[in-house]
Amino acid sequence: MLKRNPCIAHLSSGYLFPEISRRRAAFAKAHPEAKIISLGIGNTTEPLTPHVVSGLHEEVTRLGTAEGYSGYGDETGSTALRDKISKVLYKGMVSADEVYISDGAKCDIGRLQYLFGRDVTVAVQDPAYPVYVDGSVMIGAAGPVTEGGSGYSGIVYMPCTAENNFFPDLAAIPKNALIYFCSPNNPTGAVATREQLEALVARAIEQESIIIFDSAYSSYIRDPQLPRSIYEIPGSRTCAIEVSSFSKPIGFTGVRLGWTCIPSELTFADGTAVGKDWSRLVTTIFNGASNIAQSGGLASLDEKGLAETRSLTDYYLENARLIREALCAPSFAKAGVTLYGGDNAPYVWARFPGKKSWQIFDLLLERSHVVCTPGAGFGPAGESFIRFSSFGHRAQIQEACERLAKLDID
Ligand code: PGU
């Protein structure tokens, strides 16, 4: 028989979210009467909005006509959508030909790892969206979990804790590193300030490193002082790739659409443009995002679409506010629970001192039939934290909040 790929074998047994689903299913089986509510995975729940739906319909109708039918498209995306992203979201800070349309940020994060191969050192915020680390292990850039430790070998974990306002010590970034940075952050809900991102860019340049900046939640930023893109920071075009998504702004989690920006100034050590290799890579192993999805995405970026994005993200932010309020109940205060995030991000990050994340996960599931995400699943520094997702129908969120507010967590 063929040998198992050791890189895959090095991964911990299951990806975080299927593991949560497995535990939820086991509980539901044992307690069929329980009405479980999920504040776990960050999966959108509200219907697509009318103008975006009309954008999708338009393309479906076109595809049913002889004149309008199209097959494989440009692997890097429709010119109209690339142009619109460049103008509307980046105000020209990146040009249309530096925008590459994809089937989602997660898929691009996985594919980007091919560009750097197995010899690169990966630095991540700790806690972090698991795909950054798991993707690095899959390509062989990181090794198995260290003996007695909780992290993978070869990964530079940069703790983001309440003590450092969830912004890492940049001195930890080694030379020639691939730095994953997510703002607004999943899972902590923290948003980096302009000064913090300036320091990050300066450090990346100093260390001849490249940042992969994940801005999947930028549409949740309400504070106008906070940067929505790494390209608002001078110098970033020489050291940063940005990955983003239509999933969270307009509910395209199932439709699937995202993009990656690679500025022309970004080069490898030998002078080759990173964008040139990315083009080569995606034209080889990706056949382009769905033309229907791209038409919906295009509609979301005109005036009506932007207004719909605003009200949809407002809805989830109000859910986050309700969750925060519920977690201020006396029993949480008595247990010393502290809350972060939820104001410019759809996640509330709660610290339960003296408790393990999975222990709180079980307690919330057993006593209030609420599913959350254990912070430890995002990295060693996530231990003792719980992430609450604000993606849910309002009535369900209210019901979950009532249960949580009544919960005795001792
Ligand atoms: N980037 C970040 C930071 C995310 O949190 C997520 C989704 C994505 C990218 C995925 O974007 P797509 O464009 O939809 O591919 N995070 C969710 C869903 C879990 C998952 O495995 O993607 C979460 O609950 O963390």
Side-chain angles (χ1 to χ4, degrees):
M1 289 302 273
L2 296 184
K3 276 213 210 116
R4 187 177 180 202
N5 178 346
C7 300
I8 308 280
H10 288 156
L11 288 168
S12 63
S13 59
Y15 181 60
L16 176 61
F17 294 101
E19 172 61 19
I20 291 170
S21 305
R22 196 190 61 71
R23 292 196 186 207
R24 174 192 171 142
F27 183 81
K29 200 166 168 208
H31 305 273
E33 74 300 340
K35 290 197 171 55
I36 300 174
I37 300 177
S38 175
L39 304 181
I41 185 162
N43 197 0
T44 48
T45 55
E46 299 316 292
L48 297 175
T49 50
H51 186 66
V52 171
V53 169
S54 73
L56 296 167
H57 276 159
E58 265 172 35
E59 181 64 12
V60 173
T61 306
R62 249 192 314 267
L63 289 172
T65 65
E67 319 72 57
Y69 175 78
S70 60
Y72 293 124
D74 179 348
E75 294 91 340
T76 54
S78 85
T79 310
L81 182 58
R82 300 172 83 184
D83 205 46
K84 197 91 175 171
I85 290 176
S86 154
K87 289 201 174 88
V88 174
L89 297 179
Y90 293 105
K91 314 274 184 287
M93 291 180 297
V94 289
S95 65
D97 58 3
E98 293 168 332
V99 177
Y100 302 80
I101 309 298
S102 74
D103 52 348
K106 186 181 200 174
C107 325
D108 266 0
I109 294 162
R111 286 188 286 256
L112 277 165
Q113 297 264 357
Y114 282 97
L115 284 182
F116 303 97
R118 53 184 309 155
D119 293 332
V120 71
T121 304
V122 174
V124 294
Q125 288 162 292
D126 174 21
Y129 179 44
V131 185
Y132 311 148
V133 169
D134 285 5
S136 308
V137 176
M138 281 183 182
I139 199 111
V145 172
T146 44
E147 197 79 40
S150 44
Y152 287 97
S153 57
I155 297 273
V156 176
Y157 289 89
M158 303 189 291
C160 294
T161 61
E163 289 67 38
N164 62 16
N165 275 324
F166 302 102
F167 187 78
D169 176 6
L170 302 175
I173 296 173
K175 264 271 177 292
N176 304 133
L178 188 61
I179 311 158
Y180 281 99
F181 198 94
C182 178
S183 178
N185 191 263
N186 173 17
T188 67
V191 188
T193 63
R194 190 167 303 277
E195 295 68 34
Q196 287 172 333
L197 291 187
E198 279 167 3
L200 175 67
V201 165
R203 180 67 179 163
I205 293 171
E206 184 187 17
Q207 293 299 72
E208 298 174 65
S209 295
I210 289 182
I211 303 163
I212 297 185
F213 189 80
D214 186 337
S215 66
Y217 300 99
S218 62
S219 56
Y220 288 81
I221 295 178
R222 291 294 176 269
D223 180 343
Q225 301 302 320
L226 295 170
R228 288 175 163 232
S229 163
I230 192 70
Y231 300 119
E232 292 180 36
I233 309 302
S236 58
R237 287 180 53 89
T238 62
C239 68
I241 292 172
E242 183 162 307
V243 179
S244 205
S245 170
F246 286 92
S247 288
K248 310 301 158 89
I250 57 168
F252 268 21
T253 40
V255 176
R256 308 303 304 145
L257 191 66
W259 71 92
T260 288
C261 301
I262 306 187
S264 56
E265 291 93 319
L266 192 69
T267 56
F268 293 105
D270 70 357
T272 308
V274 175
K276 178 174 182 265
D277 281 9
W278 182 241
S279 234
R280 178 69 173 87
L281 195 138
V282 290
T283 51
T284 308
I285 59 164
F286 179 56
N287 248 341
S290 147
N291 40 16
I292 300 168
Q294 293 189 72
S295 178
L298 192 61
S300 80
L301 295 176
D302 63 26
E303 210 178 312
K304 276 190 194 158
L306 292 170
E308 289 180 353
T309 304
R310 177 74 183 203
S311 56
L312 193 60
T313 48
D314 275 347
Y315 181 92
Y316 293 124
L317 284 169
E318 172 62 9
N319 284 351
R321 194 191 64 74
L322 293 172
I323 294 167
R324 273 192 79 120
E325 200 172 73
L327 295 172
C328 289
S331 83
F332 288 93
K334 199 169 131 230
V337 173
T338 37
L339 304 175
Y340 307 93
D343 41 7
N344 290 285
Y347 297 119
V348 176
W349 186 236
R351 177 158 185 260
F352 291 70
K355 293 202 167 62
K356 295 263 185 205
S357 298
W358 281 105
Q359 188 191 348
I360 314 157
F361 172 91
D362 288 337
L363 186 145
L364 294 182
L365 182 57
E366 278 157 24
R367 297 198 196 159
S368 60
H369 304 165
V370 169
V371 174
C372 58
T373 308
F378 297 98
E383 189 57 276
S384 289
F385 282 88
I386 287 291
R387 188 192 78 173
F388 293 93
S389 157
S390 68
F391 295 103
H393 300 309
R394 182 63 46 78
Q396 292 255 295
I397 297 283
Q398 282 165 334
E399 166 75 28
C401 286
E402 273 172 38
R403 292 186 204 167
L404 288 173
K406 278 194 236 140
L407 184 70
D408 180 5
I409 59 162
D410 272 341

